Amino acid sequence: MTAPRMMALRAFLASDFIYRFRRDKVALVSFLVLLAFVLAGLLAPVLAPFDPYDPASIDIMNSEIPPVWTDGATDPQFLLGTDAQGRDMLSTILYGTRISLTIGIFAVMLQMVLGISIGLLSGYVGGRVDAFFMRLADIQLSLSTLMVAIVALAVFQAAFGTELYSDLAIFMLIMVIGIAEWPQYARTIRASVLAEKHKEYVDAARVIGLGPGRIMVRHVLPNTLSPLLVISTVQVANAIISEAALSFLGLGMPVTKPSLGSLINSGFEFIFSGSWWITLIPSVVLVVLILTINLLGDWLRDVLNPKLYKG
Amino acid sequence: MESGPIDHLIFLGKRLLQATLVMFVISLIGFSIQDNLGDPLRELLGQSVSEAERQALRDQMGLNDPFLVQYGRFLSKAVQGDLGDSYFFKRPALDVIADKFIATLELVIGATLIIVFISVPMGCYCAIKPNGWISRAVMGISIVGISIPVFLTAIFCIYLFSVELGWMPSFGRGETTAPFGWESGFFNVDGLVHLVLPSISLASIMLPLFIRLIRSEMMEVLESEYIRFAWAKGLNKYRVWFLHALKNTLLPVITVGGVQIGTMLAYTILTETVFQWPGMGFLFLEAVNRVDTPLIIAYIIVVGLIFVVTNTVVDVIYTLVNPTVRIAGKAS
């Protein structure tokens, strides 16, 4: 059992993909930084010196303490300073990264499930089903995702009231961002299915009597993986941006359970009074997070799609 | 494949049908929001009215009618431009939006000008000299630009230019004048100064996208047969680049641009929030906080209409301008 797995691993490590990955410093650094973010998000409860969700650990007397490296009334307890409510910025940012990543990844998983199912169905069945879904995709893409998300969440918030909404926010964000972007996947998968559908291996699978479902999922789908991988990175970055934007507008995560976007929002008014760190530190974290994902996505596209231009 | 004028008419008809259908769905969504969000009676009467009187008024206003009857009424009013009165402003919701529309339009125009005048030259340059250090720098910066959400650009701009340097105003629209009958900040210095930072912020998110798009389209065009032929003919290089190549580069760019106008509207909500810009997006968020249902619905319908109209117009123009495009619904 282990031997073939080891072989597969060794083959993967010796592959062109890994070779090019090792050669490319930008990709390597981006990957390491992203890995650090993911670990920081996963281990936030362990790494964070304070629990920002626990009101008992917050003392309003500690509010707006600047980061330790600045002049002024710093406190070594709070490496990155505190926000207006006296929460430790470092802990809040760690938890915020966790929430932003969670929403980004789950929203994209939802997009994938919806998009792959619809794309496979559309490409394989064709005809009216195909026409219907692709029209729907056209229409949905023509209405900007962010606009749809803003309107949908605004209406939910007005309907539920702010109290209830803040409890449901994380699910609502995942649902809305997830549902709004399925056409990206559906179109890609459909195009690949159309390209693969008439190849010999599909005919061969049909001749030996496999059902259409099995052919689609086990034979065609694996051949569409590389475009999937490329759009997935971009989609995760976009989902995180959308989440941040929605939270910034006050339609996303509440201040008591902040994502990076709501942190930036809650600190925004304080830049006028000089407390820049409440906004700028989470902003930098957010930008670096998105940038690493985008850089990796760019690199993946170059490697997996040699037909496209480099850069 | 040849497509005659009849094909174009059929295509136009299909697109119009689709546009109507989308507007119909949006109006349906708008109506179900009205149906579920807030109680119009409470807004009208307050708390001190008996239950029997409420019921009587409900019947009188038709709030107990079947869904379809109510929707029909909503639709026929909406088509006549009546989307109800805003609870907060006590004026027709569409009028309130129309007042704010100019402010948003100013932002969109400002940002569009920035995008056009920067992305076209930069995209062309990067396509013509793909390996020069300037091109590499532009491409590198553009991926950073894509990674910075629009509200962060706005915040950075305010922090740097308003708080630290004090060069620019940090919020509001500034002075507006109305030499041509509508209040605008375009015609005086104060209004224009206020417009600078919001326009830059709004442009910042689209700019990298367009630079990349123009670059890749132009690189593709420069590889094509007719450009090689133009070189072989010994044409002047500027003529080849900016007359022959650029023309065909801009065709797909215009389509994307048309679609992005809609996306830009979404970003105006963010920009307007950061800069307290009194436009439609800002108004919408205020309406949401006040649960001002008629205004929310009016905004959704107006924005939906803008999306649908721009998309349809862009599609139709594109098929007219580009004779090689395959008209959808026709097998190749």
Side-chain angles (χ1 to χ4, degrees):
Chain A
M1 190 63 201
T2 50
R5 261 193 208 163
M6 286 297 290
M7 293 258 288
L9 187 67
R10 210 168 290 153
F12 177 68
L13 285 177
S15 67
D16 184 42
F17 184 78
I18 290 298
Y19 174 73
R20 292 183 66 172
F21 178 68
R22 281 197 187 146
R23 288 278 310 272
D24 195 319
K25 285 205 183 72
V26 176
L28 205 62
V29 171
S30 309
F31 181 75
L32 290 178
V33 174
L34 184 61
L35 196 67
F37 270 116
V38 173
L39 285 179
L42 280 176
L43 301 176
V46 185
L47 292 175
F50 296 89
D51 180 2
Y53 299 161
D54 177 14
S57 76
I58 304 166
D59 185 354
I60 192 75
M61 294 303 287
N62 289 331
S63 67
E64 293 188 59
I65 296 175
V68 282
W69 66 85
T70 54
D71 313 328
T74 60
D75 186 331
Q77 235 188 322
F78 307 111
L79 271 181
L80 301 178
T82 58
D83 69 1
Q85 304 170 29
R87 282 186 300 201
D88 175 42
M89 285 302 291
L90 178 63
S91 316
T92 325
I93 289 174
L94 281 171
Y95 276 85
T97 312
R98 181 187 169 96
I99 289 185
S100 291
L101 275 172
T102 309
I103 293 175
I105 291 169
F106 278 96
V108 170
M109 275 163 67
L110 184 59
Q111 293 170 14
M112 261 199 218
V113 171
L114 279 174
I116 292 178
S117 327
I118 294 175
L120 281 180
L121 192 72
S122 212
Y124 199 77
V125 177
R128 275 170 192 248
V129 178
D130 183 33
F132 171 74
F133 280 122
M134 287 304 113
R135 284 280 84 176
L136 202 62
D138 279 353
I139 292 168
Q140 196 157 353
L141 284 180
S142 73
L143 310 169
S144 122
T145 311
L146 190 61
M147 197 77 215
V148 173
I150 289 174
V151 167
L153 289 178
V155 169
F156 283 130
Q157 194 183 44
F160 292 162
T162 324
E163 277 299 304
L164 179 61
Y165 182 81
S166 60
D167 291 336
L168 295 173
I170 193 161
F171 296 106
M172 298 306 301
L173 285 165
I174 292 174
M175 291 297 285
V176 165
I177 300 172
I179 292 174
E181 290 262 319
W182 67 265
Q184 303 282 1
Y185 281 95
R187 281 186 163 184
T188 316
I189 290 285
R190 173 181 173 272
S192 308
V193 170
L194 289 183
E196 298 287 325
K197 199 168 149 184
H198 299 295
K199 288 196 177 160
E200 282 175 353
Y201 75 91
V202 177
D203 288 338
R206 202 176 295 131
V207 167
I208 62 171
L210 298 182
R214 194 182 161 87
I215 294 177
M216 282 290 99
V217 176
R218 297 292 296 275
H219 296 259
V220 176
L221 191 59
N223 282 306
T224 61
L225 279 183
S226 51
L228 268 191
L229 206 57
V230 175
I231 45 174
S232 294
T233 47
V234 178
Q235 289 299 97
V236 171
N238 284 345
I240 292 176
I241 293 186
S242 302
E243 187 280 325
L246 291 164
S247 292
F248 178 75
L249 290 176
L251 300 171
M253 297 304 291
V255 193
T256 46
K257 273 193 174 180
S259 69
L260 292 172
S262 28
L263 266 178
I264 295 165
N265 180 27
S266 70
F268 172 50
E269 52 191 298
F270 296 99
I271 60 169
F272 295 104
S273 59
S275 304
W276 51 267
W277 60 92
I278 308 177
T279 292
L280 290 201
I281 299 177
S283 308
V284 171
V285 172
L286 179 66
V287 171
V288 173
L289 175 62
I290 299 166
L291 183 63
T292 51
I293 301 178
N294 274 338
L295 284 171
L296 270 182
D298 250 29
W299 175 81
L300 271 179
R301 195 185 50 208
D302 288 348
V303 172
L304 298 177
N305 264 353
K307 270 173 280 173
L308 289 178
Y309 297 109
K310 242 190 108 57
Chain B
M1 142 169 212
E2 202 69 28
S3 58
I6 307 233
D7 292 325
H8 279 296
L9 269 183
I10 293 175
F11 176 72
L12 186 69
K14 275 187 176 168
R15 291 294 295 145
L16 285 179
L17 191 70
Q18 186 185 331
T20 321
L21 204 67
V22 174
M23 276 321 290
F24 181 73
V25 172
I26 290 175
S27 75
L28 202 60
I29 293 171
F31 177 71
S32 31
I33 291 169
Q34 185 185 42
D35 218 25
N36 293 312
L37 196 63
D39 183 2
L41 282 186
R42 202 176 54 214
E43 298 293 334
L44 282 172
L45 300 174
Q47 304 291 341
S48 59
V49 178
S50 77
E51 192 55 37
E53 278 174 279
R54 277 172 193 275
Q55 274 310 325
L57 199 64
R58 279 188 155 271
D59 277 339
Q60 194 191 331
M61 288 173 67
L63 291 174
N64 290 334
D65 290 347
F67 182 83
L68 276 180
V69 175
Q70 289 196 49
Y71 175 63
R73 202 179 301 133
F74 170 82
L75 200 61
S76 74
K77 274 184 169 178
V79 171
Q80 294 163 32
D82 176 10
L83 292 171
D85 286 4
S86 156
Y87 295 152
F88 180 79
F89 293 95
K90 310 284 180 212
R91 292 201 296 135
L94 271 184
D95 288 4
V96 178
I97 288 186
D99 285 351
K100 306 283 181 175
F101 179 73
I102 300 282
T104 300
L105 191 66
E106 282 175 4
L107 266 188
V108 172
I109 291 175
T112 310
L113 288 177
I114 295 176
I115 292 173
V116 170
F117 283 108
I118 296 183
S119 70
V120 173
M122 277 199 169
C124 289
Y125 182 86
C126 291
I128 292 167
K129 290 207 163 62
N131 293 319
W133 68 269
I134 297 182
S135 305
R136 284 169 191 277
V138 168
M139 295 310 285
I141 294 170
S142 80
I143 193 160
V144 178
I146 288 179
S147 305
I148 303 180
V150 68
F151 61 95
L152 277 187
T153 321
I155 292 176
F156 285 142
C157 280
I158 287 185
Y159 181 68
L160 189 63
F161 295 108
S162 305
V163 178
E164 287 292 311
L165 297 170
W167 291 351
M168 289 284 174
S170 61
F171 65 90
R173 204 176 158 201
E175 200 181 317
T176 56
T177 45
F180 302 110
W182 69 88
E183 288 285 333
S184 167
F186 268 157
F187 310 111
N188 66 74
V189 177
D190 189 49
L192 285 176
V193 168
H194 277 80
L195 195 62
V196 173
L197 288 187
S199 303
I200 292 178
S201 310
L202 187 55
S204 70
I205 194 77
M206 304 261 168
L207 198 54
L209 202 90
F210 276 92
I211 293 179
R212 289 176 155 240
L213 180 70
I214 291 173
R215 171 181 171 274
S216 68
E217 289 295 336
M218 183 128 174
M219 282 173 89
E220 200 167 313
V221 170
L222 285 177
E223 293 288 309
S224 61
E225 287 284 314
Y226 81 96
I227 292 293
R228 253 183 255 165
F229 185 67
W231 289 125
K233 248 168 58 175
L235 290 184
N236 178 302
K237 63 182 175 184
Y238 297 106
R239 214 181 145 76
V240 176
W241 286 335
F242 300 119
L243 201 75
H244 295 275
L246 189 59
K247 245 199 224 160
N248 275 323
T249 301
L250 289 185
L251 212 58
V253 174
I254 288 168
T255 343
V256 176
V259 174
Q260 294 294 339
I261 288 177
T263 314
M264 218 182 208
L265 270 180
Y267 289 118
T268 56
I269 300 182
L270 288 160
T271 322
E272 285 173 8
T273 307
V274 177
F275 287 99
Q276 315 256 302
W277 188 265
M280 292 196 314
F282 196 51
L283 179 78
F284 173 66
L285 286 185
E286 280 180 335
V288 168
N289 286 333
R290 294 179 188 132
V291 199
D292 193 341
T293 318
L295 206 51
I296 296 177
I297 295 165
Y299 180 79
I300 293 174
I301 290 185
V302 167
V303 165
L305 196 64
I306 296 175
F307 272 93
V308 169
V309 169
T310 47
N311 278 309
T312 311
V313 169
V314 165
D315 265 14
V316 170
I317 289 180
Y318 189 66
T319 48
L320 287 180
V321 173
N322 186 355
T324 60
V325 75
R326 190 174 64 88
I327 288 180
K330 244 179 139 178
S332 52

